[in-house]
Amino acid sequence: MSTTSPNSAKTSAPAATEPAKSSNFLRQIIESDLASGVNAGRKWAGTPGDGAHQAAGQPDPARIRTRFPPEPNGYLHIGHAKSICLNFGLAQEYGGVCHLRFDDTNPEKEDQEFVNGIVDTVRWLGFDWNANGTSHLYHASDYFDFMYRAAEYLIGAGHAYVDEQSAEDMRINRGDFSRPGIDSPFRSRSPAENLERFREMRDAKHLDGSMVLRAKVDMASPNINLRDPTIYRIRRAEHHNTGDKWCIYPMYAYAHPIEDALEQITHSICTLEFEDQRPWYDWLLARLIEGGLLNAPPPRQYEFARLNITYVITSKRKLAALVYDHKVNGWDDPRMPTLVGLRRRGYTPESLRLLAERAGTSKSGGWTEYSTLEGCLRETLEETAPRAMAVLDPIRLVLTNWDEVMGLSATGDSKLDTCSAPVHPHRPELGKRSFSMGREVWIERGDFEETPPKGFFRLFPGNKVRLKYGHVIECTGCTRDADGRVDTVQARLIPDTKSGTPGSDTVKVKGVITWVGVADGRKAEVRLYERLFNEPQPDAGGRDFLASLNPNSLRIVQAIVEPSLAKARQDDKFQFERHGYFVADRVDHSDSRPVFNLSVGLKDTWAK
Ligand code: ATP
Ligand code: MG
């Protein structure tokens, strides 16, 4: 991908902003399922529900059903974007539907603020859970009644029992990889006794933690998840959806397969850490189908490797620590890998969809380079972002012969000369922008060297450069302030060299520099971001990720920007020529106080 800089020719073709789809194991599974018709007989009654409810429905208009099931206990991060793109993307590709399901079975951690944030973010990424005239937005907590009924069924069928062992005994008796488990003394209670006890649990007759409901599977299974997993626990906690209706709550591993089944999900896609849960997922649904509570075929679980990106943390808990310890300024700090943070940083939905596709979908983990993420953003902005000039570290350049060359105005003042530039170098339809050059302009401090190092082609006494879109100038010297810092650079304008005028390139120069006029430049705050961590895998191997925080991850500078940026609205994205892509901050930017965030630098080798 090429980028624009004053001294590099444009060569590349327009970027493809939508991913080129490559096959992956999930696409292959879906294609083979569609070919074999395993799911073809499924019915859908228009809403989630048990076997009888669905059986009375129509043949499912969705060829496949997937779901994105976030727990509303925090803001979504870039790892979730992978899961969203995968689940919604596969449904789109194969004529299916993807449900947005709030997995809110845990009463204590969930919050409406997070629910709203997730809804906004999934929409922003470009996905929709409305299909066939129905909104497929669901809450797992709406299924508590069915989950309870299923638990009573399992008890009645001899597949579940109330265990009153202490948590400690239960842990010890579960065994480990080398030792089989030991049956609980409560395992052989009769269904009637278990049912009575379970109802007492529901009716708040027992203390939190005093007993649990467990499935009766196999205490000797080599898969520890099958050693009579807990399916219900007592927890006197108010739930954001069901209030204090329940004092018992289902465990995630019990709730999740049931949620999938009630929603007629065909392909339940999750991350690899759930692989060992799959036998339990299948066992549970097989029992409920046997009991007539659900219909065959059950949903099937498939696991893929989670997205890991170098220099990025994707754990809600650790991200929360950064926020609560004030290491960053909130969940939407532009350095955060949350989707609200990336959005504020200037990331586009297209760039994140592109990343999700490029990172690939496989069963073996791995790390995606941070530079891949940045590359995806550059590619989507390259063809769309209007160009502008900005000087991030301004010093004054005085064109000492300006009045002599340009003449004075009627009032005896220095004249201004209008320069124009395309809004986008490849998209003439976007028009032109204009700004003025005058006797004084702002240039980058780094573009001047009194004693140039070898290979330096920009301003130094005796050298000529072009002021981009303007004239060629020749540097004559500089003045320093009391501290010895360069304060002003002097140069002479070379007449008849203005860009775009006949013969303007007869004077050859090796350097072109960007600038902003003193007369019409506008002040702006620019926030320059770097990676939040200095380590490529900040939390690998249980490392203290706070120890590798980059102390320079935010630097704020007072910049001068060209007048066309006066029209910038929050969220508008630009390429500041030679510097990178910037976005008008979606929180702090205003007409009276312009604020721009660095989204990503140019893949530019402006090292001349
Ligand atoms: P965290 O560990 O950050 O809390 P989580 O997995 O608990 O994440 P959930 O809200 O439960 O977060 O997850 C919603 C979905 O997003 C799940 O299907 C989960 O597997 C998926 N997901 C979470 N992190 C990633 C990741 N890094 N890559 C791909 N998918 C992910
Ligand atoms: Mg979780």
Side-chain angles (χ1 to χ4, degrees):
M1 203 48 247
S2 82
T3 51
T4 303
S5 78
N7 59 352
S8 76
K10 289 294 311 179
T11 48
S12 77
T17 51
E18 283 302 322
K21 304 274 194 287
S22 63
S23 194
N24 62 48
F25 77 101
L26 291 172
R27 287 187 178 124
Q28 286 161 13
I29 287 167
I30 292 171
E31 283 163 21
S32 111
D33 286 351
L34 288 173
S36 73
V38 274
N39 292 307
R42 283 173 324 115
K43 297 246 182 100
W44 169 249
T47 50
D50 65 10
H53 172 82
Q54 300 299 3
Q58 305 296 316
D60 193 343
R63 294 172 79 214
I64 62 169
R65 284 184 189 268
T66 55
R67 83 287 172 270
F68 173 63
E71 219 184 317
N73 62 353
Y75 284 88
L76 299 180
H77 52 62
I78 187 150
H80 294 116
K82 170 74 205 173
S83 177
I84 293 169
C85 292
L86 192 57
N87 281 293
F88 280 93
L90 289 171
Q92 264 171 9
E93 270 174 62
Y94 291 103
V97 170
C98 181
H99 299 185
L100 174 59
R101 179 202 307 148
F102 289 103
D103 212 325
D104 57 354
T105 54
N106 190 350
E108 278 141 344
K109 295 190 295 186
E110 289 135 13
D111 200 303
Q112 192 60 35
E113 177 196 345
F114 298 135
V115 170
N116 298 342
I118 291 169
V119 162
D120 278 356
T121 299
V122 177
R123 269 211 192 102
W124 173 72
L125 273 178
F127 297 108
D128 191 359
W129 46 88
N130 291 288
N132 308 315
T134 310
S135 162
H136 298 280
L137 187 154
Y138 302 115
H139 292 86
S141 56
D142 287 339
Y143 311 143
F144 281 161
D145 286 334
F146 179 88
M147 290 174 191
Y148 179 82
R149 175 155 72 94
E152 287 210 348
Y153 163 75
L154 292 174
I155 293 170
H159 295 313
Y161 61 99
V162 173
D163 194 347
E164 297 179 40
Q165 292 183 99
S166 69
E168 178 64 3
D169 286 348
M170 228 180 282
R171 191 183 58 73
I172 294 167
N173 291 335
R174 188 170 286 122
D176 55 31
F177 290 109
S178 55
R179 269 181 318 128
I182 297 167
D183 283 5
S184 162
F186 299 94
R187 199 175 197 260
S188 51
R189 282 214 283 220
S190 71
E193 252 179 302
N194 280 317
L195 191 57
E196 194 186 327
R197 266 288 191 273
F198 186 50
R199 288 181 176 168
E200 288 169 9
M201 284 171 61
R202 176 196 62 189
D203 298 336
K205 301 270 165 48
H206 298 285
L207 292 176
D208 286 19
S210 59
M211 55 189 72
V212 295
L213 184 69
R214 293 176 78 175
K216 194 189 280 189
V217 191
D218 178 3
M219 287 304 289
S221 173
N223 182 338
I224 293 176
N225 296 297
L226 290 180
R227 295 187 189 169
D228 291 9
T230 298
I231 61 182
Y232 262 96
R233 67 209 157 116
I234 307 172
R235 179 76 94 248
R236 286 172 176 76
E238 173 132 339
H239 187 279
H240 79 109
N241 183 20
T242 57
D244 56 9
K245 176 173 176 196
W246 297 95
C247 69
I248 55 171
Y249 288 95
M251 302 300 286
Y252 179 84
Y254 172 75
H256 201 85
I258 291 180
E259 294 157 19
D260 285 345
L262 294 177
E263 293 181 16
Q264 294 285 75
I265 299 303
T266 54
H267 298 81
S268 175
I269 298 164
C270 62
T271 40
L272 274 180
E273 62 275 20
F274 293 97
E275 191 167 17
D276 291 345
Q277 293 281 2
R278 186 169 5 106
W280 158 250
Y281 184 105
D282 293 341
W283 184 96
L284 174 64
L285 294 182
R287 298 294 81 71
L288 298 178
I289 290 170
E290 268 166 25
L293 282 77
L294 298 172
N295 302 328
R300 304 300 303 245
Q301 175 180 303
Y302 301 97
E303 308 87 19
F304 71 100
R306 55 196 295 129
L307 175 69
N308 292 309
I309 300 183
T310 55
Y311 300 98
V312 167
I313 278 180
T314 49
S315 147
K316 268 183 245 165
R317 185 178 57 76
K318 291 173 188 165
L319 295 176
L322 294 173
V323 174
Y324 298 131
D325 295 349
H326 302 286
K327 304 294 185 201
V328 294
N329 304 314
W331 289 100
D332 67 347
D333 186 300
R335 290 166 292 182
M336 287 284 273
T338 50
L339 296 174
V340 284
L342 288 163
R343 180 179 185 181
R344 194 170 169 192
R345 179 74 173 264
Y347 273 80
T348 59
E350 296 76 20
S351 63
L352 296 173
R353 295 200 299 264
L354 186 57
L355 176 83
E357 187 61 29
R358 266 198 197 148
T361 305
S362 74
K363 290 198 77 85
S364 54
W367 288 75
T368 297
E369 293 295 329
Y370 190 78
S371 57
T372 304
L373 172 65
E374 292 196 318
C376 290
L377 180 58
R378 266 189 215 105
E379 281 184 40
T380 66
L381 292 180
E382 160 65 13
E383 293 306 312
T384 54
R387 296 342 194 215
M389 289 201 288
V391 178
L392 303 185
D393 185 7
I395 52 171
R396 206 177 278 263
L397 172 78
V398 178
L399 299 168
T400 49
N401 63 340
W402 178 267
D403 292 345
E404 205 179 295
V405 175
M406 308 298 290
L408 291 178
S409 75
T411 52
D413 298 320
S414 279
K415 276 191 177 165
L416 291 177
D417 181 37
T418 303
C419 301
S420 89
V423 169
H424 192 288
H426 305 150
R427 299 183 55 191
E429 75 279 11
L430 296 180
K432 300 247 177 205
R433 46 194 237 263
S434 62
F435 34 84
S436 356
M437 184 178 291
R439 188 169 177 275
E440 296 192 353
V441 302
W442 299 108
I443 60 167
E444 294 290 346
R445 177 174 296 282
D447 283 344
F448 172 78
E449 290 283 353
E450 195 165 21
T451 326
K454 198 167 179 296
F456 184 87
F457 295 120
R458 289 165 282 158
L459 280 177
F460 56 88
N463 194 40
K464 294 192 188 74
V465 300
R466 176 175 297 283
L467 292 177
K468 195 171 190 198
Y469 310 117
H471 284 81
V472 172
I473 60 170
E474 178 172 0
C475 183
T476 53
C478 69
T479 36
R480 293 177 183 272
D481 64 16
D483 300 329
R485 251 163 73 94
V486 173
D487 160 80
T488 307
V489 174
Q490 290 90 29
R492 295 172 57 77
L493 192 76
I494 314 281
D496 304 322
T497 56
K498 187 173 174 187
S499 272
T501 60
S504 64
D505 51 5
T506 49
V507 180
K508 298 290 179 212
V509 292
K510 284 193 174 164
V512 179
I513 66 173
T514 46
W515 56 278
V516 174
V518 168
D520 64 1
R522 291 171 53 90
K523 288 190 180 144
E525 175 175 322
V526 172
R527 300 175 179 169
L528 298 171
Y529 294 105
E530 284 179 20
R531 294 169 178 159
L532 192 50
F533 294 99
N534 284 326
E535 283 285 338
Q537 299 181 12
D539 56 351
R543 212 196 326 243
D544 172 17
F545 60 98
L546 294 177
S548 61
L549 271 173
N550 173 5
N552 304 317
S553 58
L554 168 60
R555 191 160 61 87
I556 298 178
V557 298
Q558 302 305 320
I560 312 278
V561 300
E562 71 167 58
S564 71
L565 290 174
K567 295 194 292 275
R569 300 275 80 89
Q570 289 183 352
D571 272 335
D572 284 353
K573 296 162 182 72
F574 301 91
Q575 186 195 95
F576 288 0
E577 299 188 34
R578 286 175 64 198
H579 290 296
Y581 294 96
F582 289 77
V583 62
D585 188 73
R586 63 195 318 268
V587 179
D588 296 332
H589 175 86
S590 67
D591 286 351
S592 58
R593 184 187 168 220
V595 179
F596 295 94
N597 299 326
L598 171 62
S599 307
V600 63
L602 296 177
K603 199 199 287 173
D604 189 8
T605 46
W606 173 269
K608 285 189 177 171

